[in-house]
Amino acid sequence: MDHIIGPLTQLYLLLMVAYIAFIIVNHNRTASGQPPIRAAVWSYTDAWPMVHAVAIISMLGTLTAAMFRTGKTGSGRLDFLTVLLPSAFMQNAGMVIVVLLFVCALYRISGKQLGFTFDAKQLMKGIAIGVPTFVAVALLAITLIAVLHGLFGAAAVNKLVEISDKLNGANQIMGDLKTNKELLGFIIMASVLAPIGEEFFFRGWLFNMIKIRTTKIGLAIWGSAVLFALIHVAPLSIMMIIPLGAWLAWSYHISGSIWKNIGIHSSYNLMMCIIYVVAKSYGLDIDKVI
């Protein structure tokens, strides 16, 4: 159960911290005589039920799938095809549904205005951009490891990699995959389900909320990027995903289409899966790297 419950709990706690931080900032402004941060459509208090709604939908999806599971893997973890994949579907569908309800229905903002309307052209453009994005992040990772190695030495870097590997949920799931069906299911989860849900949530809602609340594009880009990175937990993943999240937020800002982002995110994750499969076929152990 830890593959799903752990990340969901972390997501919930991180967003709760962000919400509390918003309240503190607003309180400090009013206490110092400044006007409170307000927007025409969104308020910080609306973030609270938003986070709860995503958490509840995700948890219900996991528990429902677990009730109908057919077994466990040899390591004692919940079966991927009958529990984890349906749970991932529910979690990401929940993110999309809740965002649409909050942003489009509650605030009466059209999906077209926020770039939610399906756009095949932008999707394909994003898919093409995702490949060089993956290469750029891979080069950044190599550079970062080299810098850390030079600053702190091999022992410290190896320890960091070890800690990151233990905290990387995707690595753990991939390590448990036993059949081609499970591998295909993971690829679908990583390159289709997760990009849709995460882009709607972190860019479609969180980025827009910060941007509208503060009118500061830079804060919206980096704030949403940091929160997006933190849910990945592993230190090395966080370092790599912060710039990736900033790039995704900027891409969404300049294109005005969430589907371009979904395309970038999708092909990026697909490249990760392909590298993993190719390495495995040659007997290489790259779990600690990706």
Side-chain angles (χ1 to χ4, degrees):
M1 203 77 167
D2 54 330
H3 283 332
I4 294 295
I5 299 299
L8 286 178
T9 303
Q10 292 151 2
L11 170 64
Y12 180 79
L13 291 176
L14 286 169
L15 289 174
M16 185 169 66
V17 168
Y19 171 71
I20 293 173
F22 287 152
I23 297 236
I24 292 174
V25 170
N26 213 29
H27 172 74
N28 289 339
R29 285 178 65 89
T30 55
S32 62
Q34 300 180 66
I37 302 174
R38 300 204 179 278
V41 287
W42 291 335
S43 69
Y44 293 148
T45 52
D46 294 329
W48 191 240
M50 171 73 171
V51 172
H52 273 83
V54 171
I56 290 172
I57 290 175
S58 302
M59 291 295 186
L60 288 177
T62 301
L63 294 175
T64 301
M67 289 175 60
F68 294 96
R69 66 187 175 89
T70 58
K72 294 184 177 181
T73 64
S75 62
R77 299 187 185 279
L78 292 176
D79 183 71
F80 179 80
L81 290 177
T82 60
V83 179
L84 299 184
L85 184 59
S87 298
F89 177 83
M90 286 293 295
Q91 177 183 348
N92 288 285
M95 287 182 175
V96 175
I97 292 169
V98 172
V99 169
L100 292 177
L101 287 176
F102 269 73
V103 175
C104 298
L106 181 60
Y107 304 119
R108 297 205 178 9
I109 303 176
S110 70
K112 183 177 181 180
Q113 180 182 348
L114 293 175
F116 292 170
T117 305
F118 179 71
D119 189 327
K121 184 177 180 180
Q122 289 291 343
L123 177 64
M124 297 307 296
K125 184 183 294 185
I127 289 174
I129 295 174
V131 176
T133 296
F134 174 82
V135 174
V137 173
L139 292 175
L140 180 61
I142 293 171
T143 302
L144 177 63
I145 291 296
V147 170
L148 292 176
H149 191 282
L151 291 175
F152 304 106
V157 172
N158 290 336
K159 185 64 177 179
L160 180 63
V161 170
E162 180 183 348
I163 293 172
S164 295
D165 181 54
K166 290 180 179 179
L167 294 174
N168 194 320
N171 283 359
Q172 295 172 21
I173 293 176
M174 286 189 289
D176 284 342
L177 300 178
K178 305 299 181 184
T179 67
N180 289 334
K181 286 184 178 180
E182 290 181 340
L183 178 60
L184 177 60
F186 180 82
I187 292 174
I188 292 173
M189 180 180 77
S191 61
V192 179
L193 300 181
I196 295 175
E198 291 177 1
E199 288 308 315
F200 266 87
F201 190 82
F202 286 98
R203 259 62 67 177
W205 174 66
L206 184 60
F207 168 77
N208 277 320
M209 185 186 74
I210 299 174
K211 182 178 72 172
I212 290 178
R213 291 292 300 170
T214 66
T215 69
K216 296 179 180 179
I217 300 301
L219 178 61
I221 288 174
W222 290 103
S224 61
V226 169
L227 288 173
F228 173 58
L230 288 176
I231 69 164
H232 293 82
V233 184
L236 283 176
S237 295
I238 291 173
M239 294 178 197
M240 294 301 99
I241 293 174
I242 287 178
L244 174 62
W247 159 238
L248 288 168
W250 173 251
S251 175
Y252 173 57
H253 174 64
I254 61 176
S255 71
S257 173
I258 201 69
W259 291 97
K260 180 182 177 182
N261 268 45
I262 290 171
I264 297 172
H265 200 152
S266 178
S267 60
Y268 177 93
N269 284 4
L270 181 59
M271 288 295 295
M272 293 287 287
C273 294
I274 291 173
I275 294 296
Y276 177 85
V277 171
V278 171
K280 281 288 187 180
S281 68
Y282 283 95
L284 301 176
D285 184 9
I286 63 167
D287 289 351
K288 293 184 179 180
V289 179
I290 66 173

